[in-house]
């Protein structure tokens, strides 16, 4: 019997038997230090019986508390210990999921960012929402319909009308849309992919030249380079529109009914008839708000060689007839009924400050000029969605976003377009799984940091803070790595320390170095994103989790308050993934300060991993009165 007690762990301070972070006195025959034996009035082990008949455990517990400088446990604590054995694990798991739901709802209200799917207000004219369930047809199999026209005729407004919601930025100024923007539309039994394009001008002076010349971020660009970038912008927008027209089965040619027929409309119509006469072209006369005047306004455009159709993208009138005409030339794609073909496709949002190379990374990953790349800050405006399959066969949903600047800078510029672009960038973070935070390599210098770099790094920290609050996986991409001179083996280590020092809130995020303009190391981005996505979806078993927590508590118990109360952890479970969320049931959540919560998070990371993803710890009080209630 005595040998079995000798195998038990002992408290280092008082030699009492230690079990589950608590100490219990051994039998009187067990060897104790002489000073403690005198206080207990115990006889020597050689003459003492194996078990004393007058053994009083309360005295030993009081002595143990005195040795540790603690108070003896009260009757209430003993009641909590007895109730701990009566807790129902299934009941706690249900309560944990409810706690996660409450936390998610409160966080959504706090962030105050609307979701990706906007509420339908029934303003699609004759269009009705399809009663069929959303199909799992891949985007590349859907028939495409391109919307083209000169600037400021309402193409983006029509795009939003057809796909529902506010996907494209609509501002009363020309040249807002630059890249191709894709969105699904449903009309009856038909499902199609609508493509929004930038305004095309080939003979008139580009209207956006003045706007580009005053764009924020142009100050550091030489005048010659600035003029060259401005001169190339119309051709790059036209190239994007040409790609959309070539890959589409139907073309919607949009003109402005209020402005009447212009020379740009005539030239664009001639270009469509000459090169794309084999495609079905619908002439949509937009901004015909009055049904009686619409027919008169549309009659001015018979000279283009197409049958004009008066519509209003704002009110939705005429859009039903437009979709009827479009769908009559499209082949119906049957729904894929095999559920095995459905798979979860993670999304990667590429975010960062302006002009750090986000669009270059997207183009390097997909292997084509999907977005316009220019030295002009703020070239990308809409959130550009693209499907991509990596070398390992993993499918990704890439989201290129506009550069994010400080709110004060955006407000001082007075640009409504930039404000909407930044809003869409933050919405892209919300609907993504992994965020690639792109920073410029030259902005990571610490020894010779300038005031300008300090401001830029502060904005990077704000973006990182938003990523952490949203609970998204993250990887830090140090782009333009080729601009660092005299690199050696220790350069990457130095930069990683510098990045983690500035972005301490993302200390768990992996760091990737790339040169997107040359296509160097961009494949490492998807490899790191794949690992982050797996960690974000990983789930720990309850037994493993509670073992990690018990070891962490044994190494460092919760601190005591001035009144002598100490926090106790009864049960822990992982209630959610994406991100991993753990719920701790304790006697009183107020007894666990923020420092101890950070300690518990570090212990979970060191023992269970979870690199690249934030983890959330929710603390729920489990009092005796609550359980009885």
């Amino acid at each position: 019997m005595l040998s079995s007690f000798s195998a038990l762990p002992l408290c280092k301070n008082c030699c009492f038997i230690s079990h589950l972070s608590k100490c219990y006195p051994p039998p009187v025959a067990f060897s104790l230090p002489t000073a403690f034996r005198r206080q207990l009035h115990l006889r020597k082990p050689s003459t003492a019986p194996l078990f004393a008949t007058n053994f009083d455990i309360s005295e030993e517990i009081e002595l143990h508390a005195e040795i540790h400088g603690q108070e003896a446990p009260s009757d209430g604590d003993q009641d909590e210990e007895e109730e701990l054995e009566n807790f129902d694990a299934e009941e706690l798991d249900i309560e944990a999921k409810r706690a996660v739901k409450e936390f998610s709802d409160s966080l959504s209200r706090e962030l105050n960012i609307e979701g990706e799917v906007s509420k339908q207000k029934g303003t699609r004219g004759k269009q009705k929402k399809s009663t069929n369930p959303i199909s799992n047809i891949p985007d590349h199999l859907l028939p495409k319909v391109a919307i083209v026209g000169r600037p400021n005729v309402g193409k983006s407004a029509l795009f939003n009308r057809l796909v529902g919601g506010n996907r494209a930025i609509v501002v009363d100024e020309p040249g807002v849309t630059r890249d191709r923007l894709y969105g699904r539309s449903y009309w009856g039994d038909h499902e199609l992919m609508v493509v929004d394009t930038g305004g095309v001008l080939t003979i008139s002076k580009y209207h956006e030249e003045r706007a580009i010349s005053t764009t924020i971020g142009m100050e550091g660009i030489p005048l010659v380079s600035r003029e060259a970038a401005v001169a190339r912008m119309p051709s790059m927008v036209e190239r994007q529109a040409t790609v959309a027209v070539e890959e589409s089965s139907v073309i919607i040619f949009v003109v402005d009914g209020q402005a009447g027929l212009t020379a740009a409309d005539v030239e664009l119509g001639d270009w469509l008839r000459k090169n794309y006469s084999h495609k079905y072209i619908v002439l949509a006369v937009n901004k015909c708000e009055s049904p009686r005047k619409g027919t008169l306004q549309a009659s001015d455009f018979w000279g283009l060689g197409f049958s004009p159709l008066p519509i209003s993208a704002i009110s939705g009138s005429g859009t039903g007839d437009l979709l009827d005409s479009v769908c009559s030339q499209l082949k119906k794609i049957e729904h894929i009924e095999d559920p095995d073909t459905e798979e979860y496709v993670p999304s990667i949002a590429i975010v960062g400050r302006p002009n750090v190379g986000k669009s270059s990374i997207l183009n390097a990953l997909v292997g084509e000029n999907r977005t316009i790349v220019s030295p002009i800050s703020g070239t990308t405006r809409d959130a550009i969605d693209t499907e991509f399959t990596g070398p390992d066969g993993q499918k990704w949903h890439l989201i290129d976003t506009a550069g994010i600047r400080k709110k004060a800078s955006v407000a001082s510029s007075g640009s409504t377009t930039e404000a909407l672009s930044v809003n869409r960038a933050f919405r892209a973070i919300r609907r993504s799984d992994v965020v690639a935070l792109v920073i410029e390599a030259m902005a990571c210098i610490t020894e010779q940091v300038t005031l300008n770099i300090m401001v830029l790094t502060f904005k990077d920290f704000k973006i990182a803070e938003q990523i952490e609050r949203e609970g998204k996986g993250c990887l830090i991409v140090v782009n333009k790595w080729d601009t660092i001179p005299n690199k050696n083996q220790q350069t990457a280590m130095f930069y990683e320390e510098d990045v983690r020092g500035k972005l301490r809130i993302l200390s768990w995020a992996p760091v990737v170095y790339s040169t997107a303009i040359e296509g160097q190391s961009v494949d490492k981005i998807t490899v790191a994103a794949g690992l982050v996505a797996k960690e974000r979806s990983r789930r720990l078993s309850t037994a493993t989790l509670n073992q990690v927590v018990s070891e962490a508590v044994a190494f460092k118990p919760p601190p005591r308050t001035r009144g002598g109360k100490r926090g106790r952890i009864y049960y822990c479970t992982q209630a959610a993934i994406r991100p991993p969320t753990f719920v701790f049931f304790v006697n009183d959540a107020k007894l666990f300060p923020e420092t101890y919560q950070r300690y518990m998070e570090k212990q979970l990371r060191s023992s269970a991993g979870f690199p690249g993803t934030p983890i959330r710890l929710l603390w729920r009080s489990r009092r005796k009165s609550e359980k009885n209630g």
Side-chain angles (χ1 to χ4, degrees):
M1 177 67 71
L2 188 60
S3 60
S4 62
F5 281 104
S6 62
L8 295 175
L10 300 180
C11 177
K12 297 181 180 179
N13 297 327
C14 62
C15 296
F16 279 23
I17 297 175
S18 178
H19 180 61
L20 295 179
S21 306
K22 299 182 181 298
C23 298
Y24 302 96
V28 292
F30 204 76
S31 177
L32 293 176
T34 306
F36 299 156
R37 193 184 304 115
R38 291 175 181 174
Q39 296 182 36
L40 290 173
H41 305 287
L42 300 178
R43 285 180 282 180
K44 295 182 180 181
S46 58
T47 59
L50 185 60
F51 290 98
T53 56
N54 58 347
F55 181 72
D56 187 5
I57 193 172
S58 59
E59 297 181 0
E60 280 74 4
I61 293 178
E62 293 177 357
L63 176 59
H64 174 260
E66 180 181 354
I67 295 172
H68 284 281
Q70 304 170 354
E71 296 181 0
S74 61
D75 295 338
D77 294 336
Q78 295 178 2
D79 293 340
E80 289 181 353
E81 293 298 330
E82 295 177 357
E83 287 191 353
L84 178 59
E85 299 178 356
N86 299 325
F87 283 151
D88 187 0
E90 295 182 359
E91 178 185 350
L92 294 180
D93 290 339
I94 296 175
E95 185 176 347
K97 294 180 180 180
R98 185 166 56 251
V100 173
K101 181 66 169 56
E102 294 174 358
F103 176 80
S104 300
D105 294 342
S106 63
L107 183 61
S108 299
R109 289 191 297 268
E110 180 182 354
L111 294 173
N112 195 21
I113 302 177
E114 62 179 3
E116 172 60 18
V117 181
S118 302
K119 294 183 178 180
Q120 303 295 332
K121 296 184 179 180
T123 57
R124 291 193 180 185
K126 294 171 59 178
Q127 183 177 2
K128 295 181 180 180
K129 187 176 180 180
S130 176
T131 57
N132 298 329
I134 297 177
S135 67
N136 54 352
I137 302 176
D139 292 345
H140 66 276
L141 295 180
L142 291 176
K144 294 182 175 60
V145 178
I147 303 176
V148 297
R150 62 180 179 85
N152 207 29
V153 295
K155 298 184 299 299
S156 296
L158 179 60
F159 174 82
N160 289 338
R161 170 65 57 180
L162 297 182
V163 303
N166 296 320
R167 290 285 306 279
I169 297 177
V170 178
V171 180
D172 190 15
E173 63 182 57
V176 173
T177 304
R178 292 171 176 170
D179 300 291
R180 288 170 285 156
L181 192 61
Y182 292 79
R184 292 196 179 207
S185 178
Y186 303 90
W187 181 248
D189 296 333
H190 289 272
E191 185 176 359
L192 56 146
M193 182 67 66
V194 184
V195 188
D196 187 21
T197 62
V200 179
L201 279 179
T202 55
I203 60 174
S204 302
K205 186 178 180 181
Y206 196 60
H207 292 180
E208 200 184 358
E209 180 175 350
R210 182 176 180 273
I212 291 179
S213 302
T214 58
T215 300
I216 301 299
M218 294 287 288
E219 295 81 3
I221 303 177
L223 181 60
V224 177
S225 301
R226 182 185 308 182
E227 293 178 350
V230 170
R232 289 195 303 268
M233 186 63 69
S235 62
M236 290 188 290
V237 174
E238 182 180 351
R239 191 178 302 115
Q240 293 287 325
T242 303
V243 173
V245 170
E246 290 179 350
E247 68 180 3
S248 299
S249 303
V250 178
I251 302 171
I252 301 178
F253 180 20
V254 184
V255 293
D256 190 347
Q258 296 181 359
L261 184 63
T262 63
D265 294 330
V266 174
E267 182 174 1
L268 186 55
D270 294 340
W271 175 69
L272 290 174
R273 284 198 317 271
K274 180 180 179 180
N275 299 282
Y276 303 101
S277 58
H278 60 285
K279 296 179 181 290
Y280 184 71
I281 301 176
V282 182
L283 178 60
V285 184
N286 194 24
K287 302 183 182 180
C288 296
E289 311 300 337
S290 174
R292 286 181 292 182
K293 294 182 179 180
T295 305
L296 181 62
Q297 293 173 336
S299 62
D300 297 338
F301 296 90
W302 279 101
L304 294 177
F306 307 102
S307 177
L309 180 64
I311 66 168
S312 174
I314 299 299
S315 63
S317 62
T319 55
D321 297 333
L322 175 65
L323 285 173
D324 287 338
S325 178
V326 168
C327 293
S328 64
Q329 303 296 321
L330 298 178
K331 295 181 179 180
K332 184 179 178 181
I333 305 298
E334 297 296 334
H335 297 278
I336 300 177
E337 301 295 342
D338 187 7
D340 296 336
T341 58
E342 297 184 2
E343 58 178 345
Y344 176 75
V345 179
S347 301
I348 303 178
I350 307 174
V351 301
R353 295 178 288 103
N355 208 23
V356 294
K358 300 182 296 297
S359 298
S360 299
I361 291 176
L362 177 66
N363 292 341
L365 288 174
V366 301
E368 61 175 279
N369 293 327
R370 175 63 183 85
T371 57
I372 296 176
V373 177
S374 171
I376 303 174
S377 298
T379 300
T380 304
R381 290 173 172 175
D382 293 288
I384 310 300
D385 295 46
T386 306
E387 288 188 350
F388 164 71
T389 303
D392 56 349
Q394 172 66 47
K395 294 182 179 180
W396 295 97
H397 186 83
L398 304 179
I399 309 174
D400 185 22
T401 62
I404 301 176
R405 298 195 302 142
K406 296 176 63 175
K407 289 184 179 180
S409 302
V410 176
S412 61
S413 66
S415 174
T416 306
T417 303
E418 185 180 6
L420 294 175
S421 300
V422 172
N423 182 34
R424 277 160 172 74
F426 280 111
R427 286 170 58 185
I429 294 177
R430 161 157 288 195
R431 60 190 177 95
S432 66
D433 297 286
V434 180
V435 179
L437 176 58
V438 184
I439 60 178
E440 190 176 354
M442 291 300 295
C444 298
I445 300 176
T446 4
E447 299 296 334
Q448 299 177 354
V449 65
T450 62
L451 180 60
N452 186 28
I453 295 178
M454 288 281 288
V455 173
L456 296 179
T457 306
F458 174 77
K459 187 54 190 176
D460 285 329
F461 176 80
K462 289 298 181 181
I463 300 174
E465 188 179 41
Q466 184 72 19
I467 295 172
E468 199 277 336
R469 293 180 64 192
E470 293 279 4
K472 305 300 180 181
C474 180
L475 60 108
I476 303 173
V477 181
V478 181
N479 195 28
K480 304 182 182 180
W481 187 240
D482 60 323
T483 59
I484 303 300
N486 303 324
K487 295 188 291 291
N488 52 37
Q489 297 179 353
Q490 297 182 352
T491 304
M493 184 182 302
F494 168 76
Y495 270 77
E496 183 172 350
E497 294 178 356
D498 186 38
V499 169
R500 297 195 183 281
K502 292 178 179 179
L503 302 177
R504 296 180 181 178
I505 196 172
L506 298 180
S507 59
W508 38 263
V511 180
V512 180
Y513 305 90
S514 68
T515 303
I517 198 66
E518 299 179 1
Q520 296 180 359
S521 302
V522 291
D523 55 334
K524 295 182 180 179
I525 298 177
T526 55
V527 173
L531 297 177
V532 170
K534 290 181 180 178
E535 290 295 323
R536 191 167 180 262
S537 303
R538 188 159 65 92
R539 186 182 295 274
L540 284 180
S541 64
T542 305
T544 303
L545 177 60
N546 283 272
Q547 181 180 358
V548 172
V549 172
S550 63
E551 292 176 356
V553 173
F555 182 78
K556 183 180 179 181
R560 280 187 177 273
T561 63
R562 292 183 177 180
K565 296 183 179 180
R566 184 192 294 275
R568 296 184 178 182
I569 300 177
Y570 297 146
Y571 182 76
C572 181
T573 181
Q574 183 176 354
I577 58 175
R578 300 174 189 165
T581 305
F582 304 93
V583 181
F584 289 77
F585 292 95
V586 298
N587 58 343
D588 190 356
K590 297 180 180 179
L591 299 178
F592 293 85
E594 184 178 355
T595 54
Y596 194 81
Q597 295 180 16
R598 289 198 301 265
Y599 160 76
M600 188 60 67
E601 179 181 350
K602 291 180 180 179
Q603 292 299 112
L604 283 175
R605 288 192 179 277
S606 61
S607 302
F610 296 105
T613 177
I615 59 177
R616 288 172 174 169
L617 274 59
L618 306 182
W619 303 80
R620 302 281 288 186
S621 300
R622 186 76 178 181
R623 298 180 181 275
K624 177 180 178 180
S625 58
E626 294 179 356
K627 188 175 187 308
N628 292 338

